[in-house]
Each structure stands twice: as structure tokens, then as C-alpha cells.
Amino acid sequence: MSIDVGVGHEADAVQAVREILAAEGVPAALAAGDPSLWGAPSQAEARIRLGWLNLPLTSRELLPEIVNLVERAQAQGLDHVVLAGMGGSSLAPEVICATDDVPLTVLDTTDPHQVRRALDDRLERTLLVVSSKSGGTIETDSHRRIYEKAFRDAGIDPADRIIVVTDPGSPLEQTAIESGYQVILADPNVGGRYSALSAFGLVPSALAGADVRKLLDDAAGVRGLLSQPEGNPGLDLGALLGAQYQAGRDKLILLDTLSEINGLPDWIEQLIAESTGKQGKGILPVAGAEAAEDHDQYTLNIGRDGERTVDGPLGAQFLVWEYATAVAGRVLGIDPFDQPNVAESKENTTAILSEAGDGPLQTGTPILTDGPVEVYGDLPGHPKDLADVLRWALKAVPDRGYLAIMAYLDREAAFDAATVGDASFEEMTEQWASADIATLRALLDYRTDRPVTFGWGPRFLHSTGQFHKGGPAVGAFLQITGAITDDIEVPDKPYTLGRLQLAQALGDLRALTSRGRPAVRLHLTDRVAGVRHLLSVAEEL
């Protein structure tokens, strides 16, 4: 594992922070799990959140049970592994499986079209992993209920197809026991975003075919260095994050174009944004940008290419980034283990569903309609079309700010646009990009020096959603929702997935606007046409 912190004055600043941390005894104290490192107010939370430091060793106890699960699934011919989980329960397995090039269907969405896509794919060979630390995650609970019904309707006993990963004593554990599901209990002293090397990361990844033993071996290989004041990659990386923040560079542009690890920036984004974005402070990770373009930004490369680099195998990367984030929390003067603003959007969602009762959700009246796109919000200047709205969004970003695009849509819908057959890979990629709402990030990023982030809702609520509300008040927000054409009932609940998804979008928008954040909602009355129209308008700005 190697960290290159850069050159010149930046490297000197990193060295100065590293020396202070070493003189304060932080490396040895953190490696030993000292909960006092982040101050007295954080001590109670930190005391029950440092189990991740020992996961390279303690998680080995899970391996025999995981092997049995894998062998049983193979014997039954269950080769379609679906993971129902949010945030830390889904992001790490997604990276692990993408890096090992094994298939895993991840449901971290309430979009009914995306869930329907998974339901219709080889249900007779599907194994569902339901992962929730708290055991009460509304998205994951909905997925479990929907799959239980689907299995029963197909004449399949859900107890033969559902595996539950949760904390001891959670409501989900009790439900699983009553239903006869296989239960794997995770370490309760590990927070969700620090759980990559716990049962939450290992169980679904192993079932999908990933080599989780190697993951733990690689993490164990670096663990011994984390108590040292010198040659400590976690200390080096944490000092880099802290020094850049102290220098006024709090936007971290993550690059991984030449890395053998696939998708790690998405995992890092949740870890750092949710850990540091609070008390009006925070480091904003930006995945997908090509370069740092302004004075408050800097790039960091996963792999060996670039001025600042973090190079090493995935298991080691997980542990080192977690350690570095904890170190950065000390430098910033915040508790890296709590998430005080995450619950707010959840509470707003519940309130919006309750307010509507059996009637339609109160969405307001669009201020304008441009083709298949309705615009909702309180925008100055009476915009006349969608182009004006996008220009407003770019101009609404304050100094040292950022623009966040938040899409409550099916993140796999664009694959439907890619023609399979005689089309070349380049042609398929172009077709996919022209139908993918995530392309909007690059189009708007091209037109501003400010960072532009992109998040799939409600997934980002368990990630950058904390930073949006608890971090610096310098964000502008562009929310995108879409019409539902194939909704799914959630058994024994008074809402469908589509209704829940819209309530989540409206709830988060309420949390943002209540803080005076500039925000607008674009609603696609036709999803396919709406995406194409939105992208075409953005291209012409």
C-alpha cells in the first residue's frame, strides 16, 4: 500500500500535519481503539464504533459459515444473487464484485421500474440477501416484502431463498427468525459506512463469487502499519485530507481511470461525505469529474497514475480509507462516526405520506412545462424554459460551492437504449450515454468551474445527503423525478414503491429548502423522452 501526497508546499503541509498527529500519539491511540481522540462529546459514540479496526482478523470467524452458504447456493443452482441494502450495506459489495468481475444485482432504490427489472430476472434462480444494520431501513424492508410475495406467488418458499445480514437484536433479526431465514449477525460495534470488511461486505460478495478471503488477507497485510508514526499509509492519507482542508481545499476530486479497482470512488464518497459533512464543515468527495478546476479543489487518484495517489489492493484500500477518514475527522474537529442529519429526510418522508393519507401527494404546481419536463420550485427571474432553469442552477452555486444533481430514477434504464447486435462498443456506449441521466453531470460540469456531483435517490440520502444538510451551506440542488408507469405494491404497507420514492424526493427537498438552499425539481412526465430532452437542452447551453 503506498500513498503519494504530492510535491512542494502541499507535501510540506501534509508532513506538518503528520508530525503533529504523530506527536499527539494519534497513530497508536487510533489503532488501539481509543474513543477519546475526537473529544469528550464524541466519546460515547466512538466507543461503540471502532470495531472496524479489527475486522481483518475478527471477520475470519465468518468464513466457514460463508463457505457453507456458498456451497448450498451452488448446489441449489442459485446463481442470481440480489442484494437489498442501502448505503454501507450495498456500496462495498458493489465495488468488491465489480473489481472481481462477478455479477451482483444491487437494489438500493425505491424506483419500481428498477425493482421490477430485478424481479423479472431469473426469479427461479434468485437468492436474496437482505442487509440492514438497524433492521428498520424502509427501502430494504420494502424489498424484502416484495420478494417474499414474489417467491410465494411462484411456489417458492422464501425461507429457501432469503439470507439476512443484520446487527444482533435488530427488528430484522427477529423477523428473520420468525420466518425461518438464515441469519448472519454483524459486529454491532461497526458503523454502516465502515462495514466493508464485515458481514455486510463479505456475505453478498462471496455468494456472488468474489474472493473475500483475499480481501481480508490484503487488509490484514496493512493493519500492522496503522499503529506506526512512520510508514503508515492511513496516517499519510489522513494527513493529506486534513492538510488540504486546512489550506482551503475541501473538494476532493476522485479519479480511478487506470485503476484495477472498479467503482471505489462511489464507496469513498459515502465514507467521507457522511463522516465529515456536519457542523457546517466537511470534505466533499466528487466522483466522475475529470480534473480539479478551481482553488478549493484537488485530485486524488486510485492507482499509481497522477500527482497524488493511493495505490494498493482493495481490502487494504478499504481499511486505509476508513483509518484516514477517522484521522481527518480529528483534524476537522468533528465526530466521524455520527450522522446527525440523515434521519431528517426520513422523518419528512413519513410526514409527507401521513399528510397525504389515501390521497395524492402534495407536489405543488409547476412553474413551467418544457416538453416532457415539468419544473417545480421558487425561482427568481421568471424562467421561460428549461434552458433558463439550468442556467439558474449553475449561477445559483455560491462561491466555494457545488451543484448536486439528485436523480430519483431507474439507474439501469439507459441500458435499454443500447442496441445489441452489429453496433460497435463505441456506438453502444454513445447510445447508452445519450439515454443516461447521469450524463447530465458531465454536461453541466463542462459549463462551470464549480464541482458537480451526481447521486441516485434515495441511495445518496445514506451518503452525501448528510453533507448536503450538515456540511457547508454552499450547495445548489437539482432534483429529478419521473412518472411511474409500472408501480409495485409493498405488501402490508399503505404505499407503493413509486409513492414512497416520490415522498422521499419531496421529503429531502423539504429538508433542503427549509435551510434556504437553492433547489429545483424537474419532473419527467415521460422518462425516456424527458431524459433525452433534458440532455439535449444541456448540450446547447
Side-chain angles (χ1 to χ4, degrees):
M1 190 82 196
S2 64
I3 312 294
D4 190 335
V5 301
V7 297
H9 295 302
E10 287 189 23
D12 292 340
V14 174
Q15 178 63 22
V17 172
R18 184 197 293 114
E19 289 176 355
I20 291 172
L21 292 167
E24 293 172 341
V26 170
L30 178 52
D34 183 352
S36 69
L37 288 170
W38 302 274
S42 305
Q43 193 161 339
E45 180 76 17
R47 184 174 289 111
I48 58 171
R49 288 291 176 263
L50 289 167
W52 53 271
L53 288 159
N54 298 315
L55 288 176
L57 305 180
T58 58
S59 284
R60 293 181 186 278
E61 300 170 4
L62 295 170
L63 292 178
E65 191 171 11
I66 290 175
V67 169
N68 288 337
L69 291 176
V70 171
E71 291 176 348
R72 187 186 313 160
Q74 292 174 342
Q76 295 175 325
L78 304 179
D79 56 1
H80 181 216
V81 180
V82 177
L83 170 60
M86 301 298 296
S89 297
S90 63
L91 287 166
E94 193 166 57
V95 176
I96 294 167
C97 291
T99 299
D100 268 17
D101 194 24
V102 295
L104 176 69
T105 298
V106 175
L107 290 182
D108 53 3
T109 181
T110 44
D111 187 86
H113 302 95
Q114 188 172 333
V115 174
R116 178 76 67 189
R117 186 188 305 272
L119 280 171
D120 291 343
D121 183 11
R122 298 167 288 163
L123 184 67
E124 73 283 357
R125 288 159 39 202
T126 292
L127 182 65
L128 177 70
V129 181
V130 179
S131 288
S132 172
K133 178 178 175 62
S134 69
T137 309
I138 191 171
E139 300 94 339
T140 306
D141 178 70
S142 298
H143 299 149
R144 175 184 61 81
R145 293 171 182 272
I146 289 166
Y147 264 88
E148 285 174 342
K149 182 178 185 302
F151 284 138
R152 291 192 184 103
D153 289 349
I156 299 170
D157 185 352
D160 294 333
R161 299 299 187 87
I162 295 179
I163 296 171
V164 167
V165 182
T166 190
D167 274 6
S170 77
L172 180 57
E173 181 193 11
Q174 186 60 39
T175 297
I177 292 172
E178 294 170 356
S179 302
Y181 302 152
Q182 175 82 44
V183 181
I184 309 295
L185 295 177
D187 186 338
N189 294 315
V190 177
R193 57 188 178 275
Y194 291 81
S195 66
L197 299 172
S198 76
F200 290 107
L202 303 183
V203 171
S205 301
L207 288 166
D211 185 352
V212 297
R213 187 181 298 274
K214 181 179 185 302
L215 199 72
L216 294 177
D217 288 344
D218 290 336
V222 77
R223 180 177 176 272
L225 302 174
L226 299 183
S227 62
Q228 306 301 317
E230 297 291 339
N232 180 339
L235 182 64
D236 293 344
L237 181 55
L240 169 62
L241 298 175
Q244 294 285 354
Y245 180 86
Q246 291 178 339
R249 289 181 287 273
D250 59 355
K251 314 298 189 306
L252 168 59
I253 313 300
L254 292 162
L255 306 176
D256 70 343
T257 50
L258 298 179
S259 172
E260 295 180 356
I261 299 173
N262 292 321
L264 189 60
D266 287 336
W267 177 82
I268 296 171
E269 179 183 64
Q270 186 216 11
L271 175 68
I272 293 182
E274 197 172 36
S275 295
T276 69
K278 59 200 71 170
Q279 301 175 25
K281 305 177 183 179
I283 299 169
L284 178 66
V286 182
E290 295 182 1
E293 298 179 291
D294 216 335
H295 62 282
D296 59 344
Q297 306 165 33
Y298 65 101
T299 60
L300 190 52
N301 291 261
I302 308 301
R304 299 180 180 179
D305 183 62
E307 180 181 351
R308 303 172 205 85
T309 62
V310 183
D311 186 45
L314 181 56
Q317 291 267 6
F318 281 144
L319 188 60
V320 165
W321 277 101
E322 289 165 350
Y323 183 102
T325 300
V327 169
R330 179 178 171 89
V331 176
L332 269 65
I334 52 90
D335 179 355
F337 304 113
D338 69 349
Q339 48 281 332
N341 304 106
V342 168
E344 182 178 354
S345 291
K346 299 177 185 178
E347 293 165 357
N348 286 349
T349 296
T350 301
I352 286 171
L353 290 170
S354 178
E355 290 164 7
D358 295 332
L361 301 183
Q362 299 303 306
T363 60
T365 302
I367 60 172
L368 68 89
T369 299
D370 187 331
V373 181
E374 296 176 340
V375 180
Y376 295 81
D378 183 15
L379 275 62
H382 304 290
K384 65 180 184 300
D385 56 22
L386 187 55
D388 279 352
V389 173
L390 294 181
R391 292 189 191 97
W392 168 84
L394 291 169
K395 292 178 181 177
V397 179
D399 183 45
R400 298 185 57 82
Y402 62 96
L403 175 64
I405 303 171
M406 309 168 295
Y408 288 79
L409 299 169
D410 175 2
R411 68 176 170 129
E412 297 181 355
F415 290 110
D416 296 339
T419 303
V420 179
D422 296 332
S424 67
F425 176 78
E426 290 75 14
E427 290 171 331
M428 289 180 61
T429 301
E430 183 176 347
Q431 292 169 3
W432 173 78
S434 67
D436 185 9
I437 191 61
T439 302
L440 183 63
R441 197 214 67 79
L443 293 175
L444 296 184
D445 183 63
Y446 179 72
R447 287 156 177 80
T448 178
D449 289 338
R450 305 312 306 149
V452 180
T453 66
F454 183 92
W456 293 104
R459 157 176 161 155
F460 79 88
L461 294 177
H462 300 257
S463 175
T464 50
Q466 166 62 43
F467 188 97
H468 292 167
K469 293 176 278 290
V474 292
F477 300 89
L478 182 63
Q479 186 186 85
I480 306 169
T481 57
I484 303 297
T485 58
D486 187 16
D487 212 345
I488 299 176
E489 297 285 338
V490 180
D492 300 319
K493 290 293 181 180
Y495 47 77
T496 63
L497 277 186
R499 188 176 179 86
L500 174 58
Q501 181 187 43
L502 181 57
Q504 290 177 312
L506 297 175
D508 192 48
L509 202 60
R510 180 181 292 184
L512 294 170
T513 55
S514 70
R515 289 172 166 78
R517 308 284 204 264
V520 63
R521 180 169 72 95
L522 309 181
H523 183 70
L524 313 182
T525 55
D526 179 307
R527 290 191 178 203
V528 174
V531 168
R532 292 192 182 280
H533 182 58
L534 182 52
L535 295 183
S536 67
V537 170
E539 285 180 326
E540 297 299 321
L541 286 180

